[in-house]
């Protein structure tokens, strides 16, 4: 009995030590520095992207809407890409895209004749693309906007988020991407227009996002025309509703 009583203090001391060790492990298992470190990395990455975009040629925001060229074909993106790249056109590759006769012929002499006739036309299209860098592109609004956010009084938008690009079915080799899409993650319109747009969105009716952009550079690694968004409008029932950024 005396031996048992003498061991109780020792057992209590061991239990206290184990308890203290357990509390220390629990605290270390939930570090508080992980989230700030990630946020700093994200901020640094975003700052780097913005700095890179700022180093590119910038649009003149006073350019009238009538000066923007509608993108309705992937061939337009192809010519814009060639113009921005500064690399001489691969005439045979372009002819394969723009001429059914060239693409469908197996006669080497005929193909060369068609190619020779096309070269001046291709050069003219590339030269035109060099001077017409203001582009207007229409995006299907369904799927591009999220439900209207009451707390932000704006539509969360996904049409220009990082990694998003667009192409046309007639020539999908060349794409359009935006360098400043992070500034258009929230789109704000007046309350009356917001109600109409939300009704169209939730009712699966047709409406479009019209992006006015300025072609800045050719991304040689991805065949993309990189463009700066100048302004955005939402087209509903044939009318364009100007959009404000809600950063």
């Amino acid at each position: 009995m005396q031996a048992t009583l003498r061991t109780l203090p020792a057992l209590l001391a061991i239990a206290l030590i184990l308890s203290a060790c357990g509390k220390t492990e629990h605290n270390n298992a939930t570090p508080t520095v992980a989230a700030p470190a990630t946020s700093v990395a994200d901020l640094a990455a975003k700052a780097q992207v913005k700095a890179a975009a700022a180093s590119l040629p910038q649009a003149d925001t006073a350019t009238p809407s009538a000066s923007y060229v509608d993108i309705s074909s992937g061939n337009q993106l192809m010519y814009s890409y060639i113009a921005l790249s500064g690399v001489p056109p691969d005439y045979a590759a372009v002819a394969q895209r723009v001429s059914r006769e060239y693409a469908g012929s197996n006669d080497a002499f005929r193909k060369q004749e068609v190619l020779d006739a096309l070269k001046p036309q291709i050069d003219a299209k590339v030269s035109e693309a060099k001077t017409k860098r203001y582009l207007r592109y229409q995006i299907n609004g369904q799927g591009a906007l999220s439900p209207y956010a009451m707390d932000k009084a704006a539509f969360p938008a996904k049409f220009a988020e990082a990694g998003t690009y667009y192409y046309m079915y007639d020539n999908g080799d060349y794409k359009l991407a935006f360098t400043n899409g992070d500034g258009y993650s929230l789109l704000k319109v007046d309350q009356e227009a917001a109600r109409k747009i939300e009704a169209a969105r939730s009712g699966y009716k047709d409406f479009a996002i019209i992006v006015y952009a300025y072609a800045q550079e050719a991304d040689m690694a991805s065949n993309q025309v990189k463009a700066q968004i100048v302004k955005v409008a939402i087209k509903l029932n044939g009318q364009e509703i100007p959009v404000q950024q809600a950063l």
Side-chain angles (χ1 to χ4, degrees), residues 57-71:
Q58 300 295 300
D60 179 358
T61 57
T63 301
S65 298
S67 297
Y68 287 76
V69 177
D70 286 309
I71 297 296

Side-chain angles (χ1 to χ4, degrees), residues 5-88:
L5 288 173
R6 281 197 299 269
T7 58
L8 282 174
L11 290 172
L12 287 171
I14 292 171
L16 287 171
I17 293 170
L18 290 174
S19 176
C21 291
K23 288 178 182 177
T24 303
E25 280 185 17
H26 177 72
N27 289 338
N28 289 340
T30 55
T32 57
V33 294
T38 303
S39 297
V40 169
D42 288 344
L43 289 172
K46 288 180 179 179
Q48 187 174 8
V49 170
K50 286 184 178 180
S55 68
L56 297 174
Q58 300 295 300
D60 179 358
T61 57
T63 301
S65 298
S67 297
Y68 287 76
V69 177
D70 286 309
I71 297 296
S72 58
S73 167
N75 291 335
Q76 290 173 276
L77 293 177
M78 174 179 66
Y79 292 127
S80 181
Y81 174 88
I82 296 170
L84 292 167
S85 72
V87 177

Side-chain angles (χ1 to χ4, degrees), residues 96-241:
Q96 190 73 18
R97 279 295 187 182
V98 301
S99 171
R100 290 183 179 180
E101 184 178 6
Y102 181 88
S105 177
N106 291 319
D107 185 321
F109 288 97
R110 181 56 187 157
K111 285 179 81 77
Q112 187 61 50
E113 291 172 355
V114 173
L115 184 62
D116 290 341
L118 284 173
K119 283 181 179 179
Q121 300 176 37
I122 294 170
D123 289 337
K125 290 288 187 182
V126 173
S127 295
E128 183 182 26
K130 287 180 180 179
T131 61
K132 295 185 176 180
R133 295 171 66 170
Y134 289 90
L135 313 174
R136 179 167 48 223
Y137 189 74
Q138 180 169 308
I139 301 168
N140 186 347
Q142 291 292 349
L145 292 187
S146 295
Y148 187 77
M150 293 294 177
D151 59 331
K152 295 171 182 171
F155 287 97
K158 299 176 285 186
F159 71 93
E161 59 189 8
T164 301
Y165 60 83
Y166 297 91
Y167 63 92
M168 310 295 284
Y169 288 117
D170 65 332
N171 186 347
D173 289 343
Y174 298 88
K175 298 106 178 172
L176 176 66
F178 303 115
T179 58
N180 59 335
D182 58 331
Y184 292 85
S185 59
L186 289 172
L187 304 183
K188 189 171 186 177
V189 296
D190 64 62
Q191 192 70 17
E192 182 180 354
R195 285 180 176 274
K196 293 177 181 178
I197 295 167
E198 179 62 9
R201 186 206 62 78
S202 61
Y204 300 100
K205 296 179 181 178
D206 289 338
F207 69 99
I209 295 175
I210 309 297
V211 182
Y212 292 82
Y214 176 72
Q216 295 175 294
E217 69 167 353
D219 186 337
M220 309 289 281
S222 59
N223 276 18
Q224 290 183 0
V225 173
K226 297 285 193 178
Q228 172 193 7
I229 298 175
V230 180
K231 58 184 177 180
V232 172
I234 296 176
K235 189 174 183 179
L236 180 64
N237 298 327
Q239 294 185 334
E240 287 191 16
I241 302 168

